[in-house]
Amino acid sequence: MSASAVHSLWTTAAEPITKIDAPKIEYGQLSPTLIVIGAAIIGVLLEALVPRKYRYHAQLFLSVVALTAAFAAVVALAMGGYATTKAGIAAMGAIAVDGPALFLQGTILLAGILGVFTFAERRLDPAAHGNRVDSFAAQAASVPGSDSEKAAVKAGFATTEVFPLLLFAIGGMLIFPAANDLLTLFVALEVFSLPLYLLCAVARRKRLMSQEAAVKYFLLGAFASAFSLFGIALLYGYAGSVKYATIAQVVDGTVGELNPALAETMGNDALLLIGAAMVVMGLLFKVGAVPFHMWTPDVYQGAPTPVTGFMAAATKVAAFGALLRLLYVVLPGLRWDWRPVMWAVAIVTMLGGAIVAITQTDIKRLLAYSSIAHAGFILAGVIAASPDGVSSVLFYLGAYSFVTIGAFAVVTLVRDAGGEATHLSKWAGLGRRSPLVAAVFAVFLLAFAGIPLTSGFAGKFAVFKAAAEGGAGAIVVVGVISSAIAAFFYVRVIVLMFFSEPRPEGPTVAVPSPLTMTAIGVGVAVTLVLGVAPQYFLDLAGQAGVFVR
């Protein structure tokens, strides 16, 4: 073919484009996310422009104001009917604004505010060279133990970058459960994962352990992201679209017009099954379900405790929200395929988390395995595949996030010469030395165990009830057995605190600033209110339990 022939083909194929439609963005409906991402960008500018001694207060003020404003925006949207009658798809089909999205976004923002309070705590360690110090390395870029690190500590430096990083993570988490196409889902996954990898690496004490945790989290997280992306590619190959609604129609066989290419791939169930499995695998990794849980104990133990508390609460909320939307909106036509697999995952997750937790001697690792068991309990609600299942999972996630942040905030208070005293033997007799702190921690442990009059009981009851009504009675039996196993090690810690002799060289309990006190106080209050009078919040989750398609 001559060059002129090719050229004439090319000129005829390229029709003149008259106009490109401008994207239609509903800024009001996306305001919670936009406020947080905007504040994160301003936070980066503050790091560059504000003198070092004012940065901490500027960042703390900016973070709290932004998260509070974003939460107010979520409440305003919910009051304006966007959770129920006006629920719809915004940002040209990329993001859903509906009940589950708003409920989960509100939960993530409240967890974020408490997370900021624990990040900002500066009274737990004794002052170094006349400067107050926080949980984060003085200069994250310096090698642990090096002269540059010692010089940074002496100069009173502080890693205030943790606040914008936290805001970026929260911004990604807000989009994650609301994503309405697979590409938005993946972008949100990366936006909230990358800041968390960094935050895990900047502990002030035990720097090497912290950096090891971050490397493990990064490598395993990169694997999980790759699985998700590969699954997204296969689903796109199957349905010819990344939009949730279109994929759901192709799966159900209700798609409008069929072009020959789509007709060919629609018959290929291998693309659909392998693609769906890979995307779900990436989400189960974020949730910490067995067998994708390997990162959880090491990362929870190595990361700075305020980061662990925030990550344990908020990541679970975001990831379960995305998982629910994927299974209920995109793959309801595959229910017979995904339910048996989820059954197996839920059972091994509940039993695995509860049994391995018994052998733990470190309080942060114990809470990590406990969080794995809780992922199994929440999966029981996901399996129900009913509106009750969605609302019970929403309620459980809300209750769980406050207990978790409160529990990790208490862990930061118990300290010895090396920083936090996380070995269980150090906690012996804590109830006699500091009865209030031990009593508060006991409340959180009882909530984790699901003892009546705590939020944990109301959450477990709702999830198991939904699972039983959804025909998953066997899961409920396994869940109750796992809860009994788990109760053993929670009660063991309570017995250790109140009925053991305190050691003379035992740890001290630091007196925190009002910031950490607020985080712990809110955790206790929510735990007791949701336990004693859960009905209003169950109704709220019930109203918010309908996905827009």
Side-chain angles (χ1 to χ4, degrees):
M1 195 183 280
S2 69
S4 61
V6 171
H7 185 257
S8 69
L9 274 176
W10 177 69
T11 46
T12 50
E15 291 294 323
I17 296 171
T18 49
K19 73 183 209 327
I20 297 173
D21 290 332
K24 185 169 170 289
I25 305 293
E26 296 82 349
Y27 292 104
Q29 295 175 39
L30 304 179
S31 54
T33 311
L34 295 175
I35 290 168
V36 174
I37 299 275
I41 294 167
I42 295 169
V44 173
L45 293 175
L46 290 184
E47 282 299 312
L49 304 174
V50 173
R52 194 182 290 274
K53 63 178 175 185
Y54 303 122
R55 276 182 211 164
Y56 164 81
H57 293 101
Q59 294 282 21
L60 177 57
F61 176 76
L62 174 72
S63 304
V64 173
V65 167
L67 293 174
T68 310
F71 182 71
V74 169
V75 173
L77 285 171
M79 303 284 276
Y82 285 101
T84 47
T85 49
K86 288 193 198 167
I89 310 294
M92 302 180 68
I95 288 176
V97 181
D98 57 8
L102 290 173
F103 189 94
L104 293 167
Q105 287 178 339
T107 307
I108 290 165
L109 288 165
L110 289 176
I113 293 171
L114 297 186
V116 168
F117 288 169
T118 57
F119 273 49
E121 178 57 61
R122 303 182 89 175
R123 289 202 194 158
L124 299 178
D125 271 323
H129 307 287
N131 297 299
R132 286 191 174 162
V133 295
D134 55 16
S135 303
F136 302 100
Q139 195 166 19
S142 52
V143 177
S146 66
D147 291 340
S148 66
E149 184 176 64
K150 288 170 188 159
V153 172
K154 200 166 184 181
F157 290 0
T159 303
T160 43
E161 294 95 327
V162 295
F163 293 105
L165 283 172
L166 179 72
L167 288 175
F168 276 120
I170 293 171
M173 286 173 186
L174 294 180
I175 301 173
F176 200 53
N180 197 52
D181 68 47
L182 292 169
L183 282 184
T184 310
L185 182 84
F186 184 73
V187 171
L189 173 73
E190 293 307 303
V191 168
F192 84 77
S193 296
L194 294 171
L196 288 178
Y197 301 149
L198 286 170
L199 286 170
C200 287
V202 294
R204 179 175 288 273
R205 309 288 183 101
K206 302 179 180 156
R207 280 290 302 284
L208 287 170
M209 194 166 157
S210 164
Q211 290 178 351
E212 180 195 354
V215 169
K216 283 178 179 166
Y217 192 20
F218 170 67
L219 290 175
L220 287 167
F223 270 113
S225 297
F227 272 115
S228 293
L229 196 56
F230 199 56
I232 289 169
L234 292 176
L235 285 177
Y236 176 70
Y238 171 79
S241 171
V242 289
K243 285 199 164 61
Y244 282 7
T246 313
I247 298 173
Q249 287 173 344
V250 176
V251 172
D252 294 343
T254 55
V255 66
E257 75 274 1
L258 268 180
N259 59 22
L262 183 58
E264 221 165 272
T265 57
M266 261 182 76
N268 188 348
D269 279 350
L271 281 177
L272 169 66
L273 292 172
I274 297 170
M278 286 184 141
V279 176
V280 169
M281 203 188 296
L283 293 176
L284 288 176
F285 171 87
K286 280 289 165 208
V287 165
V290 178
F292 313 104
H293 68 292
M294 289 79 73
W295 60 278
T296 313
D298 290 343
V299 173
Y300 278 31
Q301 187 183 9
T305 307
V307 175
T308 308
F310 167 73
M311 193 168 71
T315 308
K316 262 205 179 34
V317 177
F320 266 113
L323 184 66
L324 278 173
R325 192 174 293 278
L326 195 71
L327 295 179
Y328 283 51
V329 175
V330 186
L331 304 172
L334 269 190
R335 188 171 297 169
W336 298 108
D337 293 298
W338 63 253
R339 273 191 80 177
V341 179
M342 286 295 181
W343 269 66
V345 171
I347 288 172
V348 295
T349 304
M350 289 191 280
L351 288 173
I355 291 168
V356 181
I358 293 175
T359 63
Q360 299 306 310
T361 55
D362 183 279
I363 194 82
K364 282 169 83 173
R365 286 184 85 86
L366 185 136
L367 290 174
Y369 279 106
S370 136
S371 86
I372 293 170
H374 282 284
F377 298 139
I378 301 172
L379 278 173
V382 175
I383 288 166
S386 65
D388 279 353
V390 179
S391 60
S392 69
V393 169
L394 296 182
F395 178 83
Y396 199 123
L397 288 168
Y400 173 81
S401 54
F402 286 99
V403 183
T404 305
I405 290 183
F408 279 106
V410 173
V411 172
T412 62
L413 304 184
V414 183
R415 310 180 84 80
D416 56 17
E420 290 159 9
T422 56
H423 199 278
L424 272 180
S425 62
K426 306 252 179 85
W427 287 59
L430 192 71
R432 299 186 187 187
R433 184 174 287 137
S434 184
L436 182 63
V437 170
V440 166
F441 197 60
V443 169
F444 291 137
L445 289 174
L446 292 173
F448 280 136
I451 303 297
L453 298 184
T454 63
S455 59
F457 175 75
K460 272 186 188 160
F461 184 79
V463 166
F464 288 161
K465 178 169 170 275
E469 287 171 358
I475 290 266
V476 178
V477 174
V478 176
V480 171
I481 293 169
S482 305
S483 296
I485 297 170
F488 167 74
F489 59 80
Y490 296 128
V491 172
R492 191 184 72 181
V493 177
I494 295 173
V495 168
L496 185 75
M497 290 193 298
F498 286 100
F499 300 106
S500 302
E501 285 300 320
R503 295 183 170 190
E505 76 287 357
T508 56
V509 174
V511 177
S513 68
L515 292 169
T516 298
M517 284 183 189
T518 306
I520 295 172
V522 170
V524 172
V526 172
T527 303
L528 295 176
V529 168
L530 293 187
V532 176
Q535 198 52 50
Y536 170 76
F537 297 95
L538 283 166
D539 293 344
L540 195 67
Q543 289 163 13
V546 183
F547 289 103
V548 66
R549 287 174 191 276

